[in-house]
Amino acid sequence: MPTLNETYVTKGSWRPNLFEGKVVFVTGGAGSICRVQTEAMVLLGANAAIVGRNKQKTDEAAKDIQSLRKGSKVVSLPDVDVRDVKQLAEAVKKTVAELGRIDFVIAGAAGNFLADFNHLSSNAFKSVVSIDLLGSYNTVKACFEELRKNKGAIIFVSATLHYYGVPFQIHVGAAKAGVDALSNALAVEFGPIGVRSNCIAPGPIEGTEGMSRLAPKGLESVKSKIPLQRLGTKQDIADATVYLFSPAAEFVTGDVLVVDGGSWQVSQGAGSQDYPVTLKKALAAPGAKL
Ligand code: COA
């Protein structure tokens, strides 16, 4: 089921048809965060192509998102692993064949699980860095010609985990630090050719795959410690996305838009709640293979 509906256009903050004639290419578009980003873009006039590894999930998401606006086109690009730049290049080719162009890119495909250092094998670390960081690089690499031609814009989905030390998130923190660095450097390299690059760093957003993986017991107890006293909603992420792609942000590049209700400022990351009790046990237990 989509998260947004036509009230996003009729009652929301944004002008209908804001992105008419534009195309957004989204990796991880069937997942929760990137899916709502795609929904917002489609509701506001864009067509979209979503990339995923799982065929059924990606096909269903594309169909659902397309149903949000009459006349919209949302292309499903399943069986694509962002670690493989050739698969992404093929996906870009199909997108241009079906939708004519790519103006906006959301690099959002990500992998995550909770693991302390002792239980994180070298291959596990590499898997997450490859999906999150190399995958983000590959996405821009595959889309570059279109971005250059259309003076497009990129949003990377980052995090706040690397602003301080978050236990059980070594792999993701390292990958997302790299994503921020990648975005900043691209902003500088691409600025002169009219292409913008920014990150969105979501905090605790309710109803997302990330949250169910990272906080399986729920986030109720965390709410009161978030400065704005609530969890984020998927619409908060949609709005940040629309802003960064809209003409309102045409002088904004090399930035990270943190959408977390002020959360990271009070330094409580996933796995920190009972620090260091669980961590001590994990580090003392038998670990993963190398
Ligand atoms: N704890 C510790 N290690 C784990 C793990 C966990 N919960 N889950 C996977 N790993 C390890 C595996 O054991 C393997 O390491 P090994 O070869 O040393 O045993 C390594 O990670 C790769 O796992 P594999 O399942 O082969 O990789 P994959 O490429 O198919 O999957 C992951 C990538 C691991 C990131 C997987 O969690 C995934 O596909 N996630 C996608 C969805 C997602 O995470 N979304 C969250 C968005 S916030």
Coordinates of all heavy atoms in Angstrom, one line a residue, residues 82-131:
V82 N 23.0 -3.2 -7.0 CA 23.7 -1.9 -7.2 C 25.3 -2.1 -7.1 O 26.0 -1.2 -7.4 CB 23.3 -0.8 -6.2 CG1 21.9 -0.4 -6.4 CG2 23.5 -1.2 -4.7
R83 N 25.7 -3.3 -6.6 CA 27.1 -3.6 -6.5 C 27.7 -3.8 -7.9 O 28.9 -3.9 -8.1 CB 27.4 -4.8 -5.6 CG 27.2 -4.4 -4.1 CD 27.2 -5.6 -3.2 NE 26.0 -6.4 -3.3 CZ 25.6 -7.3 -2.4 NH1 26.4 -7.6 -1.5 NH2 24.5 -8.0 -2.5
D84 N 26.8 -4.0 -8.9 CA 27.2 -4.3 -10.3 C 26.9 -3.2 -11.2 O 25.7 -3.0 -11.6 CB 26.5 -5.6 -10.7 CG 26.9 -6.1 -12.0 OD1 27.4 -5.3 -12.9 OD2 26.8 -7.3 -12.3
V85 N 27.9 -2.4 -11.6 CA 27.6 -1.2 -12.3 C 27.1 -1.5 -13.7 O 26.3 -0.7 -14.3 CB 28.9 -0.3 -12.4 CG1 30.0 -1.0 -13.3 CG2 28.6 1.1 -12.8
K86 N 27.4 -2.7 -14.2 CA 26.8 -3.0 -15.6 C 25.3 -3.3 -15.5 O 24.6 -2.9 -16.4 CB 27.5 -4.3 -16.1 CG 29.0 -4.0 -16.5 CD 29.6 -5.0 -17.4 CE 31.0 -4.5 -17.8 NZ 32.0 -5.5 -17.5
Q87 N 24.9 -3.9 -14.4 CA 23.4 -4.1 -14.3 C 22.7 -2.7 -14.1 O 21.7 -2.5 -14.7 CB 23.1 -4.9 -13.0 CG 23.5 -6.4 -13.1 CD 23.2 -7.2 -11.9 OE1 22.3 -6.8 -11.1 NE2 23.8 -8.3 -11.7
L88 N 23.4 -1.8 -13.5 CA 22.8 -0.5 -13.3 C 22.8 0.3 -14.7 O 21.8 0.9 -15.0 CB 23.6 0.4 -12.3 CG 23.2 0.2 -10.9 CD1 24.2 0.7 -9.9 CD2 21.8 0.8 -10.6
A89 N 23.8 0.1 -15.4 CA 23.9 0.8 -16.8 C 22.7 0.3 -17.6 O 22.1 1.0 -18.4 CB 25.2 0.5 -17.4
E90 N 22.5 -1.0 -17.5 CA 21.4 -1.6 -18.3 C 20.0 -1.1 -17.8 O 19.2 -0.8 -18.6 CB 21.4 -3.2 -18.1 CG 20.7 -4.0 -19.1 CD 21.1 -3.7 -20.5 OE1 22.2 -3.5 -20.9 OE2 20.1 -3.6 -21.3
A91 N 19.9 -0.9 -16.5 CA 18.7 -0.3 -16.0 C 18.5 1.1 -16.4 O 17.3 1.5 -16.7 CB 18.7 -0.4 -14.4
V92 N 19.5 1.9 -16.5 CA 19.5 3.3 -17.0 C 19.0 3.3 -18.5 O 18.2 4.0 -18.9 CB 20.8 4.0 -16.8 CG1 20.9 5.3 -17.6 CG2 21.1 4.2 -15.3
K93 N 19.6 2.3 -19.2 CA 19.3 2.2 -20.7 C 17.8 2.0 -20.8 O 17.1 2.6 -21.6 CB 20.1 1.1 -21.3 CG 20.5 1.3 -22.7 CD 21.6 0.3 -23.1 CE 21.3 -0.3 -24.4 NZ 22.1 -1.5 -24.7
K94 N 17.2 1.0 -20.0 CA 15.8 0.7 -20.1 C 15.0 1.9 -19.7 O 13.9 2.2 -20.3 CB 15.5 -0.4 -19.2 CG 15.8 -1.8 -19.7 CD 15.2 -2.9 -18.8 CE 15.9 -4.2 -19.1 NZ 16.0 -5.1 -17.9
T95 N 15.4 2.7 -18.7 CA 14.7 3.8 -18.2 C 14.6 4.9 -19.3 O 13.5 5.4 -19.6 CB 15.4 4.4 -17.0 OG1 15.5 3.4 -16.0 CG2 14.6 5.6 -16.4
V96 N 15.7 5.1 -20.0 CA 15.7 6.2 -21.0 C 14.9 5.7 -22.2 O 14.1 6.5 -22.8 CB 17.2 6.5 -21.4 CG1 17.2 7.5 -22.6 CG2 17.9 7.1 -20.2
A97 N 14.9 4.4 -22.5 CA 14.1 3.9 -23.6 C 12.6 4.0 -23.3 O 11.8 4.4 -24.2 CB 14.4 2.4 -23.9
E98 N 12.2 3.8 -22.0 CA 10.8 3.9 -21.7 C 10.3 5.2 -21.3 O 9.2 5.6 -21.6 CB 10.5 2.9 -20.6 CG 10.7 1.4 -21.1 CD 10.0 0.4 -20.2 OE1 8.9 0.7 -19.7 OE2 10.5 -0.7 -20.1
L99 N 11.2 6.0 -20.6 CA 10.7 7.3 -20.1 C 11.4 8.5 -20.7 O 11.0 9.6 -20.5 CB 10.9 7.3 -18.6 CG 10.2 6.2 -17.8 CD1 10.5 6.3 -16.3 CD2 8.7 6.2 -18.0
G100 N 12.4 8.2 -21.6 CA 12.9 9.3 -22.4 C 14.1 10.1 -21.8 O 14.9 10.6 -22.5
R101 N 14.3 10.0 -20.4 CA 15.3 10.8 -19.8 C 15.4 10.5 -18.3 O 14.6 9.8 -17.8 CB 15.0 12.3 -20.0 CG 13.6 12.7 -19.3 CD 13.1 14.1 -19.7 NE 13.9 15.1 -19.0 CZ 14.3 16.2 -19.6 NH1 14.1 16.4 -20.8 NH2 15.0 17.1 -18.9
I102 N 16.5 11.0 -17.7 CA 16.6 11.0 -16.2 C 17.0 12.3 -15.8 O 18.1 12.9 -16.2 CB 17.6 9.9 -15.7 CG1 17.1 8.5 -16.1 CG2 17.8 10.0 -14.2 CD1 18.1 7.4 -15.9
D103 N 16.3 13.0 -14.9 CA 16.6 14.3 -14.3 C 17.1 14.2 -12.9 O 18.0 14.9 -12.5 CB 15.4 15.2 -14.3 CG 14.8 15.3 -15.7 OD1 15.3 16.2 -16.4 OD2 13.9 14.5 -16.1
F104 N 16.5 13.3 -12.1 CA 16.8 13.2 -10.7 C 17.2 11.7 -10.4 O 16.6 10.8 -10.9 CB 15.6 13.5 -9.9 CG 15.0 14.9 -10.2 CD1 13.7 15.0 -10.6 CD2 15.8 16.0 -10.0 CE1 13.2 16.3 -10.9 CE2 15.3 17.3 -10.2 CZ 13.9 17.4 -10.7
V105 N 18.2 11.6 -9.5 CA 18.6 10.3 -9.1 C 18.6 10.2 -7.5 O 19.1 11.1 -6.8 CB 20.1 10.1 -9.5 CG1 20.7 8.8 -9.0 CG2 20.2 10.0 -11.1
I106 N 18.0 9.2 -7.0 CA 18.0 8.9 -5.6 C 18.8 7.6 -5.4 O 18.4 6.5 -5.9 CB 16.6 8.7 -5.0 CG1 15.8 10.0 -5.2 CG2 16.6 8.4 -3.5 CD1 14.3 10.0 -4.7
A107 N 19.9 7.7 -4.7 CA 20.7 6.5 -4.5 C 20.4 6.1 -3.0 O 20.9 6.7 -2.1 CB 22.2 6.9 -4.6
G108 N 19.5 5.1 -3.0 CA 19.0 4.8 -1.6 C 19.1 3.3 -1.3 O 18.9 2.9 -0.1
A109 N 19.5 2.5 -2.2 CA 19.6 1.0 -1.9 C 20.6 0.9 -0.7 O 21.7 1.4 -0.8 CB 20.1 0.2 -3.1
A110 N 20.3 0.1 0.3 CA 21.1 0.0 1.5 C 20.9 -1.4 2.1 O 19.9 -2.1 1.9 CB 20.8 1.1 2.5
G111 N 21.9 -1.8 2.8 CA 21.8 -3.0 3.6 C 22.2 -2.7 5.1 O 23.0 -1.9 5.3
N112 N 21.5 -3.4 6.0 CA 21.8 -3.1 7.4 C 21.4 -4.3 8.3 O 20.5 -5.0 7.9 CB 21.1 -1.8 7.9 CG 21.8 -1.3 9.1 OD1 22.7 -1.9 9.7 ND2 21.3 -0.2 9.6
F113 N 22.1 -4.5 9.3 CA 21.7 -5.4 10.4 C 22.5 -4.9 11.6 O 23.5 -4.2 11.5 CB 22.0 -6.8 10.0 CG 23.4 -7.1 9.5 CD1 24.5 -7.2 10.3 CD2 23.6 -7.1 8.1 CE1 25.7 -7.4 9.8 CE2 24.9 -7.3 7.6 CZ 25.9 -7.4 8.4
L114 N 22.1 -5.4 12.8 CA 22.8 -5.0 14.0 C 23.9 -6.1 14.2 O 23.6 -7.3 14.3 CB 21.9 -5.0 15.2 CG 20.9 -3.8 15.3 CD1 20.0 -4.0 16.4 CD2 21.7 -2.5 15.4
A115 N 25.1 -5.7 14.4 CA 26.2 -6.6 14.7 C 27.4 -5.9 15.4 O 27.8 -4.8 14.9 CB 26.7 -7.4 13.5
D116 N 27.8 -6.4 16.5 CA 29.0 -5.8 17.1 C 30.3 -6.3 16.3 O 30.2 -7.2 15.5 CB 29.1 -6.2 18.6 CG 29.4 -7.7 18.7 OD1 28.4 -8.5 18.4 OD2 30.5 -8.1 19.0
F117 N 31.4 -5.7 16.6 CA 32.6 -6.0 15.9 C 32.9 -7.5 15.9 O 33.3 -8.1 14.9 CB 33.8 -5.2 16.5 CG 35.1 -5.5 15.8 CD1 35.4 -4.8 14.6 CD2 36.0 -6.4 16.3 CE1 36.6 -5.0 13.9 CE2 37.2 -6.7 15.6 CZ 37.5 -6.0 14.4
N118 N 32.7 -8.1 17.1 CA 33.1 -9.5 17.3 C 32.2 -10.4 16.3 O 32.7 -11.5 16.0 CB 32.8 -9.8 18.8 CG 33.3 -11.2 19.1 OD1 34.2 -11.8 18.6 ND2 32.6 -11.8 20.1
H119 N 31.0 -10.0 16.0 CA 30.1 -10.8 15.2 C 30.0 -10.3 13.8 O 29.1 -10.7 13.0 CB 28.7 -10.9 15.8 CG 28.8 -11.6 17.1 ND1 28.9 -11.0 18.3 CD2 28.7 -13.0 17.4 CE1 29.0 -11.9 19.3 NE2 28.8 -13.1 18.8
L120 N 30.9 -9.4 13.4 CA 30.9 -8.8 12.0 C 32.1 -9.4 11.3 O 33.2 -9.0 11.5 CB 31.0 -7.3 12.2 CG 30.7 -6.4 11.0 CD1 29.3 -6.5 10.5 CD2 31.1 -5.0 11.3
S121 N 31.8 -10.3 10.3 CA 32.9 -10.9 9.6 C 33.4 -9.8 8.6 O 32.7 -8.8 8.3 CB 32.5 -12.1 8.8 OG 31.6 -11.8 7.8
S122 N 34.6 -10.1 8.0 CA 35.1 -9.2 7.0 C 34.2 -9.1 5.8 O 33.9 -8.0 5.3 CB 36.5 -9.7 6.6 OG 37.0 -8.9 5.6
N123 N 33.6 -10.2 5.5 CA 32.7 -10.2 4.3 C 31.4 -9.5 4.6 O 30.8 -8.8 3.8 CB 32.4 -11.7 3.9 CG 31.6 -11.7 2.6 OD1 31.9 -11.0 1.7 ND2 30.6 -12.5 2.5
A124 N 30.9 -9.5 5.9 CA 29.7 -8.8 6.3 C 30.0 -7.3 6.2 O 29.1 -6.6 5.7 CB 29.3 -9.2 7.7
F125 N 31.1 -6.9 6.7 CA 31.5 -5.5 6.6 C 31.5 -5.0 5.1 O 31.0 -4.0 4.7 CB 32.9 -5.2 7.3 CG 33.3 -3.8 7.3 CD1 33.0 -3.0 8.3 CD2 34.2 -3.3 6.3 CE1 33.4 -1.6 8.3 CE2 34.6 -2.0 6.3 CZ 34.2 -1.2 7.3
K126 N 32.2 -5.9 4.3 CA 32.4 -5.6 2.9 C 31.0 -5.5 2.2 O 30.8 -4.7 1.3 CB 33.2 -6.6 2.2 CG 33.5 -6.4 0.8 CD 34.5 -7.5 0.3 CE 34.4 -7.6 -1.2 NZ 35.0 -8.8 -1.7
S127 N 30.1 -6.4 2.5 CA 28.8 -6.4 1.9 C 28.1 -5.1 2.1 O 27.5 -4.6 1.1 CB 27.9 -7.5 2.5 OG 28.5 -8.8 2.2
V128 N 28.0 -4.6 3.3 CA 27.3 -3.4 3.6 C 28.0 -2.2 2.9 O 27.3 -1.3 2.3 CB 27.1 -3.2 5.1 CG1 26.5 -1.8 5.4 CG2 26.1 -4.3 5.6
V129 N 29.3 -2.1 3.0 CA 30.0 -1.0 2.4 C 29.8 -1.1 0.9 O 29.6 0.0 0.2 CB 31.5 -1.0 2.8 CG1 32.3 0.0 2.0 CG2 31.7 -0.7 4.3
S130 N 29.8 -2.3 0.3 CA 29.6 -2.4 -1.1 C 28.2 -2.0 -1.6 O 28.1 -1.3 -2.6 CB 29.8 -3.9 -1.6 OG 31.1 -4.3 -1.3
I131 N 27.2 -2.3 -0.8 CA 25.9 -2.0 -1.2 C 25.7 -0.4 -1.0 O 25.3 0.3 -1.9 CB 24.8 -2.7 -0.4 CG1 24.8 -4.2 -0.6 CG2 23.4 -2.2 -0.7 CD1 24.0 -5.1 0.3

